[in-house]
Amino acid sequence: MISNQIIQNTIDGLKGITRIDLCVLDIDGQILASTEELPENMGAEAESFTASPADSQVIHGYQFFKVFDENQLEYILLAKGGSDDVYMVGKMASFQLSGLLIAYKERFDKDNFIKNLLLDNLLLVDIYNRAKKLHIAAEARRMVFVIECSREKVNVALENMRNLYGSKSHDFVTAVDEKNVIVVRELASGEGYEEMFLAAQEMKDAASTDGEEIRVALGTIVSEIKEVSRSYKEAKMALDVGKIFFEERDIVSYSSLGIGRLIYQLPIPLCKMFIKETFEGKSPDDFDEETLTTINKFFENSLNVSETSRQLFIHRNTLVYRLDKLQKATGLDIRVFEDAITFKIALMVVKYMRYMETLDY
């Protein structure tokens, strides 16, 4: 249903052009929008007109018109005056309102289609049939973005995204839960991941209000409409994996998740078994803060002892001592590439398990 404000804006614009007062009532005779104050009996007259078979009628100096949505009567339009010019303006206004009804219904149908498409609620044949009916290109390069914000601000973010992309007929903005806004972007010729990352930054800036922390996740580029749900799932995974392994990033793409994507898909019992077998019941995050800082800095510098000691402001021998101590405690020498990989994966696995534990609470 069209909002009363849209109807009011429409008839205000028509009056500004034609200088003829207009009014729109519902089928019960209630005024929805008007450019002037109507006589009190007009509601009753409108109800009587609704019951009549006529499509238009002159009553008390006003021309009445019926506005249909397909074959369903939706509104009664009044145009002030009995001349042929007023009749023509009334017919034009009725046509305009009918067009708005069709446009809003199509938008609503498209929104439902996109939601069901994202959630995998459609059969393959239904996807292509409905896409054709709604004039949505089946073969086009698209990417799904998921924008996470607080429940209190999700409606504001949704409206901001619609202002940003809603007028572009090939892009879609919707929401399937209480915290996430989804944007399905159609890529122009020549656009790729670099341009989409910049688009994600634009979305983040547009969605953010009052300094609220906003996270944006990107799926991969797909070439057919049936693959849009896959890009959505990838974006959702990127959002979750980003919270675990890339806390410092507010924009995360599925293609940049690396090994974190694999760990995220491991069952918790398998993770616990790996930690137990590798560290004999200990946990790699049980080390003191100094040791953990040393380990992380060593990994950041690609196992370079000299650069790590320089950045930690310690002597090279002090660093070697710490690494030797770590080797004795765990049996892993992270100066050796294979042991370093095992230790790095173990740290990520523990981080993943800790995150999953917080979700259980």
Side-chain angles (χ1 to χ4, degrees):
M1 183 65 70
I2 310 171
S3 71
N4 291 353
Q5 186 59 53
I6 296 288
I7 298 174
Q8 185 67 55
N9 292 343
T10 301
I11 62 174
D12 283 342
L14 288 170
K15 181 185 178 180
I17 297 169
T18 65
R19 299 182 181 180
I20 293 172
D21 281 305
L22 300 166
C23 178
V24 178
L25 298 84
D26 63 19
I27 57 176
D28 295 321
Q30 298 297 315
I31 298 174
L32 302 179
S34 180
T35 60
E36 66 163 357
E37 187 173 345
L38 290 181
E40 292 183 2
N41 64 334
M42 281 303 179
E45 298 289 0
E47 284 190 77
S48 176
F49 173 64
T50 300
S52 75
D55 288 335
S56 64
Q57 191 174 349
V58 179
I59 304 174
H60 300 317
Y62 287 85
Q63 300 206 32
F64 285 58
F65 301 88
K66 291 178 179 177
V67 179
F68 293 91
D69 179 9
E70 295 182 350
N71 295 319
Q72 179 70 37
L73 179 62
E74 288 290 339
Y75 304 121
I76 302 299
L77 174 75
L78 278 64
K80 188 175 183 179
S83 68
D84 290 344
D85 288 343
V86 173
Y87 176 82
M88 182 179 65
V89 170
K91 292 295 285 186
M92 290 173 60
S94 300
F95 182 77
Q96 177 75 6
L97 287 174
S98 295
L100 285 174
L101 284 168
I102 293 170
Y104 271 74
K105 179 183 283 187
E106 182 174 311
R107 173 178 169 180
F108 180 73
D109 287 344
K110 282 185 177 180
D111 190 59
N112 275 342
F113 171 68
I114 293 299
K115 284 181 179 178
N116 286 313
L117 181 66
L118 293 169
L119 298 174
D120 265 341
N121 290 338
L122 298 171
L123 297 174
L124 187 60
V125 65
D126 291 334
I127 291 174
Y128 286 98
N129 286 340
R130 291 187 63 182
K132 184 177 180 180
K133 183 178 178 181
L134 294 169
H135 308 291
I136 299 173
E139 294 184 1
R141 295 167 64 242
R142 294 182 174 93
M143 175 184 279
V144 177
F145 300 76
V146 176
I147 304 158
E148 184 184 66
C149 50
S150 66
R151 286 183 175 87
E152 296 77 17
K153 298 294 181 68
V154 69
N155 288 331
V156 175
L158 180 62
E159 191 61 32
N160 289 345
M161 287 303 100
R162 282 179 172 157
N163 290 336
L164 189 62
Y165 292 106
S167 60
K168 301 175 182 177
S169 60
H170 299 302
D171 299 328
F172 304 99
V173 179
T174 189
V176 296
D177 55 43
E178 296 178 336
K179 291 186 66 178
N180 298 322
V181 175
I182 298 115
V183 177
V184 182
R185 271 288 309 272
E186 183 173 320
L187 279 68
S189 177
E191 286 188 324
Y193 286 101
E194 184 176 345
E195 288 78 12
M196 291 303 98
F197 194 87
L198 294 175
Q201 182 63 57
E202 184 181 34
M203 293 177 196
K204 178 182 178 298
D205 294 340
S208 181
T209 56
D210 302 325
E212 182 189 10
E213 183 178 342
I214 301 289
R215 299 178 73 91
V216 183
L218 299 72
T220 56
I221 298 172
V222 297
S223 57
E224 289 191 42
I225 196 164
K226 67 179 181 180
E227 298 174 325
V228 167
S229 62
R230 191 191 80 207
S231 185
Y232 169 64
K233 291 171 186 174
E234 292 168 346
K236 286 282 288 180
M237 180 184 288
L239 195 64
D240 290 337
V241 174
K243 292 176 187 176
I244 304 171
F245 303 118
F246 310 104
E247 295 171 295
E248 72 285 356
R249 300 186 195 174
D250 47 26
I251 299 176
V252 185
S253 63
Y254 179 81
S255 58
S256 68
L257 298 179
I259 198 171
R261 189 172 78 202
L262 298 177
I263 293 172
Y264 180 75
Q265 298 179 79
L266 293 175
I268 295 298
L270 185 62
C271 293
K272 291 180 178 178
M273 186 184 301
F274 170 72
I275 296 299
K276 183 177 180 181
E277 291 176 353
T278 305
F279 296 100
E280 298 179 354
K282 299 178 183 178
S283 176
D285 66 343
D286 288 338
F287 297 111
D288 58 78
E289 189 172 339
E290 181 184 77
T291 303
L292 286 173
T293 301
T294 300
I295 294 167
N296 290 325
K297 187 61 69 174
F298 191 58
F299 287 145
E300 285 176 19
N301 289 290
S302 303
L303 314 184
N304 187 308
V305 174
S306 299
E307 184 60 23
T308 302
S309 60
R310 186 187 70 80
Q311 291 190 19
L312 289 173
F313 303 103
I314 60 175
H315 195 276
R316 177 189 174 93
N317 291 343
T318 303
L319 176 58
V320 171
Y321 169 75
R322 290 182 186 178
L323 297 178
D324 287 340
K325 184 180 176 182
L326 180 65
Q327 182 181 2
K328 290 178 183 178
T330 63
L332 296 173
D333 184 359
I334 61 173
R335 288 164 290 190
V336 178
F337 183 70
E338 186 175 343
D339 287 355
I341 290 176
T342 301
F343 206 100
K344 179 64 175 177
I345 291 174
L347 287 173
M348 294 180 72
V349 166
V350 169
K351 203 169 187 181
Y352 165 60
M353 290 193 299
R354 296 284 184 265
Y355 175 80
M356 295 307 291
E357 285 174 2
T358 62
L359 296 183
D360 292 337
Y361 295 113

